[in-house]
Amino acid sequence: MSGLKTTNNIRCLKLTIAEPFPRVVKVRRVEKDGAVYFGPYFPASLANRTSDLISREFRLRPCSNEVF
């Protein structure tokens, strides 16, 4: 086994551009779903800070489709 850490804490940011009102979501895996992905961010706290900054500056919605 190598000395590398697992990637559980490495996160990407997903920008859901296909939705009428886009949002930023923190995800662990990149999928082919039409969204734009940024990252990976290491440590994960950097993804959290970046997500907060983007949401605040661009006024993106923080809730999911079920709540919205």
Side-chain angles (χ1 to χ4, degrees):
M1 177 141 199
S2 67
L4 298 176
K5 293 183 178 183
T6 61
T7 59
N8 289 340
N9 290 332
I10 298 177
R11 295 185 173 210
C12 294
L13 294 179
K14 173 182 174 179
L15 179 60
T16 59
I17 59 172
E19 296 176 352
F21 298 97
R23 60 193 172 112
V24 174
V25 182
K26 292 171 274 198
V27 296
R28 294 187 194 278
R29 297 179 188 213
V30 175
E31 299 175 0
K32 293 184 179 180
D33 57 359
V36 178
Y37 289 86
F38 301 94
Y41 291 91
F42 187 77
S45 62
L46 184 58
N48 294 333
R49 290 182 9 215
T50 304
S51 173
D52 293 342
L53 176 73
I54 291 170
S55 296
R56 183 177 63 243
E57 293 298 321
F58 293 101
R59 298 182 186 260
L60 299 177
R61 67 183 174 114
C63 56
S64 65
N65 286 335
E66 292 80 28
V67 176
F68 191 67

